Amino acid sequence: MWKPDRTSKKPLYQQIAEYMERRINYGEYPPGSVLPSERKLASQLQVNRSTIVQAYEELRASGLIESRVGFGTRVSGDKWGFTPKHAANWRLYEESGAFLPNIPFIRRIREEIRKNPDIIDFASGELSADLFPNQAFQKLWQEKPYLDHWGYDDPQGYLPLRETLASFLQTYHGIGSTSSSILITSGSQQSLFLITQCLLSAGDAVAIEDPSYCYSLPMFQSAGLRLLRLPVKDDGIQPDDLLSLYRRHRVRMIFLNPNYQNPTGTVLNPAHRMKLLDAAADLGIPIVEDDPFSLTSFDGNAPKPLKAYDTAGNVLYIGSLSKIAASGLRIGWMVAPQSVVHRLADARQQMDFGLSVIPQWIAAQFLGSKTDFEDHVASLRKALLRKRDLLASAMDEYLKGEVDYSLPQGGLNMWCSIHKKVDDFRLLEEGIKRGVIFVPGSVYGSKPGYVRFSFSRPDPESIHKGIRAFAEGLKHC
């Protein structure tokens, strides 16, 4: 985000006035739109409120903005004597779109992370930069630079990557597939988006875990789907709950994260897996299995995915490199019947004409280099286990008797239950005041009083400091 240059001879208020004038002229703030309050803009730009007062005075003097008690400060509809006759009502357009915005909690969290890079981040479910396999990527690039075609690629994705993935999935997950049954996507969220948009219709009932990462994704509501909840116990969902939901609502599809479930970290009971597959096959209900965390298993022995036991072809299997290598690569995949792959590939091509071939090439080289990949995964597991243990130690030191937690055996998240009644929004704000951020459980559909801490992003030295700050904030709730 832009900040005034404190080394410049130009006064801060004048720099800010010019910056806001540019934003107005570029159309970021159309005529009649409300500007940030003096207090909010001062906080964003890290200056005194009096500086913003001066900047706004400059803009008022030039006729660009106007202020009225009770209405705030707005961009003038008569700037420089010109009254726009057909200024678009952008607010009306923003509120008319079919695709819903992120829920307020998520927007608040992302806004704070963006403007405060020093905050201790237990909210972001991604790896810290030091856990990326940067050296392996650089080595692969140097040893074998990319020399192939730079044009549009196959709508299903880069063929060498799909061929590599077929071998990778068999070796590490016991999943049989071919290059023609694999669709490359930009990550799990794009896979889910394609499924909800292309394979389901408004009004369809779908079953999701409770709590569930899916609950935080507006794409389900944007598609007009009815979300039905399958409670997550200590060993995952109960197949009988699915049967009960189906009898009452005729469920069209099931969305599951069986291994190190997000946010709870639970693992679906092996016996329940087989019973669930049988039930889905009997009822003819597809299962969408999102499996981002299996390879993070701290002992290296994660249960096989549902897809490995899927003899009926009912499971759409989703994976990605985001949680095990680098989120910035934007590489995900889906294993599905060929007809489904072709349908979704056609839809994805209409969206973006296919993914960039370069990250797909890097992913193919990385996954195909067994030594580099396995060395990275072993190092990743060790680092994540250390962070998990540091988080558990901090919880025991600062929150014993106040918060219960489940110790995950893989994944990136720890799910916590707070003993006393709290307001989730106030809890989040108290944490932000003290330099720590996390995700309240209600984001995932749970009742207030739960928190998800992701331990993959903070550096080890800041974990205890972050939980101490959280404990201090909890005392004020």
Side-chain angles (χ1 to χ4, degrees):
M1 181 178 180
W2 180 87
K3 293 285 192 304
D5 181 2
R6 296 178 183 275
T7 64
S8 172
K9 294 182 179 179
K10 184 178 294 185
L12 293 180
Y13 79 88
Q14 193 172 343
Q15 294 182 50
I16 294 169
E18 291 174 357
Y19 166 68
M20 294 302 292
E21 181 176 341
R22 286 196 300 271
R23 298 185 72 183
I24 292 169
N25 289 335
Y26 293 162
E28 292 182 43
Y29 290 109
S33 60
V34 179
L35 294 177
S37 69
E38 294 163 356
R39 192 180 304 279
K40 182 175 182 180
L41 189 58
S43 174
Q44 290 176 349
L45 301 182
Q46 298 177 0
V47 297
N48 293 328
R49 183 181 175 187
S50 59
T51 304
I52 303 300
V53 171
Q54 285 183 282
Y56 276 1
E57 284 294 340
E58 285 280 304
L59 295 171
R60 268 190 290 271
S62 67
L64 274 178
I65 68 174
E66 54 193 14
S67 300
R68 289 173 58 194
V69 176
F71 290 89
T73 300
R74 297 172 179 265
V75 178
S76 174
D78 188 24
K79 63 178 184 178
W80 299 318
F82 171 72
T83 302
K85 307 245 181 236
H86 303 289
N89 185 345
W90 289 114
R91 183 176 297 279
L92 180 62
Y93 284 94
E94 292 161 12
E95 294 173 351
S96 299
F99 198 73
L100 299 174
N102 270 309
I103 60 177
F105 268 127
I106 295 294
R107 297 202 301 271
R108 177 73 179 98
I109 288 167
R110 290 180 177 170
E111 175 193 13
E112 195 62 36
I113 291 172
R114 187 167 53 248
K115 77 177 187 181
N116 184 3
D118 295 325
I119 200 166
I120 299 173
D121 181 6
F122 289 113
S124 300
E126 66 173 329
L127 304 178
S128 55
D130 61 299
L131 299 183
F132 293 170
N134 293 327
Q135 291 185 343
F137 288 167
Q138 291 171 5
K139 173 188 167 189
L140 292 169
W141 186 268
Q142 291 170 355
E143 292 180 351
K144 188 182 177 183
Y146 178 77
L147 301 174
D148 291 343
H149 180 55
W150 285 72
Y152 292 129
D153 194 33
D154 189 309
Q156 278 186 234
Y158 185 53
L159 178 59
L161 174 56
R162 289 187 280 125
E163 292 172 339
T164 300
L165 272 169
S167 174
F168 167 84
L169 291 169
Q170 181 66 59
T171 300
Y172 293 99
H173 296 302
I175 295 174
S177 63
T178 65
S179 61
S180 57
S181 65
I182 295 174
L183 172 69
I184 306 301
T185 67
S186 65
S188 296
Q189 288 208 36
Q190 187 179 62
S191 297
L192 292 172
F193 179 80
L194 290 169
I195 290 168
T196 58
Q197 291 294 316
C198 301
L199 304 183
L200 295 165
S201 300
D204 283 348
V206 300
I208 65 171
E209 295 156 313
D210 177 20
S212 171
Y213 174 64
C214 291
Y215 193 83
S216 71
L217 301 176
M219 69 176 72
F220 286 84
Q221 288 86 351
S222 297
L225 304 177
R226 291 186 292 134
L227 300 182
L228 308 176
R229 303 187 183 200
L230 294 168
V232 175
K233 312 292 186 182
D234 291 341
D235 57 355
I237 67 164
Q238 311 299 304
D240 288 343
D241 290 339
L242 171 64
L243 296 172
S244 176
L245 277 183
Y246 182 80
R247 283 193 293 268
R248 288 181 283 130
H249 300 283
R250 291 296 185 265
V251 175
R252 288 291 310 280
M253 193 172 282
I254 312 162
F255 291 81
L256 297 178
N257 174 197
N259 285 348
Y260 314 118
Q261 194 256 0
N262 185 5
T264 65
T266 56
V267 175
L268 182 59
N269 181 298
H272 291 174
R273 291 171 186 252
M274 303 313 298
K275 190 174 180 181
L276 181 65
L277 285 169
D278 290 342
D282 290 342
L283 299 172
I285 308 174
I287 298 174
V288 177
E289 179 181 20
D290 190 6
D291 186 30
F293 302 122
S294 282
L295 290 182
T296 65
S297 174
F298 300 141
D299 65 3
N301 295 308
K304 286 186 178 180
L306 294 173
K307 185 63 178 175
Y309 303 102
D310 176 30
T311 58
N314 276 350
V315 178
L316 303 182
Y317 179 81
I318 294 173
S320 81
L321 286 178
S322 296
K323 310 302 184 185
I324 58 171
S327 51
L329 268 183
R330 306 312 305 140
I331 294 295
W333 51 85
M334 186 192 310
V335 180
Q338 290 184 24
S339 58
V340 173
V341 168
H342 292 158
R343 169 72 176 97
L344 301 187
D346 175 75
R348 214 275 311 284
Q349 187 181 35
Q350 294 179 55
M351 294 166 56
D352 58 16
F353 280 98
L355 305 174
S356 167
V357 70
I358 299 301
Q360 293 184 81
W361 176 86
I362 293 173
Q365 299 298 312
F366 181 56
L367 294 175
S369 175
K370 191 171 182 180
T371 300
D372 287 334
F373 179 75
E374 291 189 347
D375 285 350
H376 165 70
V377 170
S379 174
L380 175 64
R381 287 173 179 152
K382 183 177 179 181
L384 289 176
L385 178 59
R386 181 188 175 208
K387 289 188 176 185
R388 183 210 69 174
D389 289 346
L390 285 170
L391 178 56
S393 172
M395 298 289 288
D396 291 341
E397 181 174 349
Y398 300 112
L399 292 165
K400 196 172 185 65
E402 298 181 68
V403 173
D404 292 330
Y405 64 87
S406 301
L407 194 67
Q409 301 305 309
L412 314 181
N413 307 307
M414 181 179 287
W415 185 242
C416 305
S417 170
I418 301 170
H419 292 183
K420 71 178 185 179
K421 186 177 180 179
V422 296
D423 176 270
D424 279 356
F425 185 80
R426 182 175 178 187
L427 180 63
L428 179 62
E429 292 302 321
E430 291 292 342
I432 290 172
K433 285 181 189 176
R434 292 162 178 81
V436 62
I437 202 161
F438 45 86
V439 183
S442 54
V443 168
Y444 306 110
S446 76
K447 60 185 179 182
Y450 289 85
V451 174
R452 190 198 76 172
F453 290 104
S454 291
F455 48 83
S456 56
R457 187 70 178 269
D459 60 83
E461 293 71 26
S462 67
I463 289 177
H464 267 249
K465 179 182 176 183
I467 296 302
R468 184 172 67 243
F470 173 83
E472 291 170 355
L474 180 60
K475 291 176 182 176
H476 290 78
C477 291

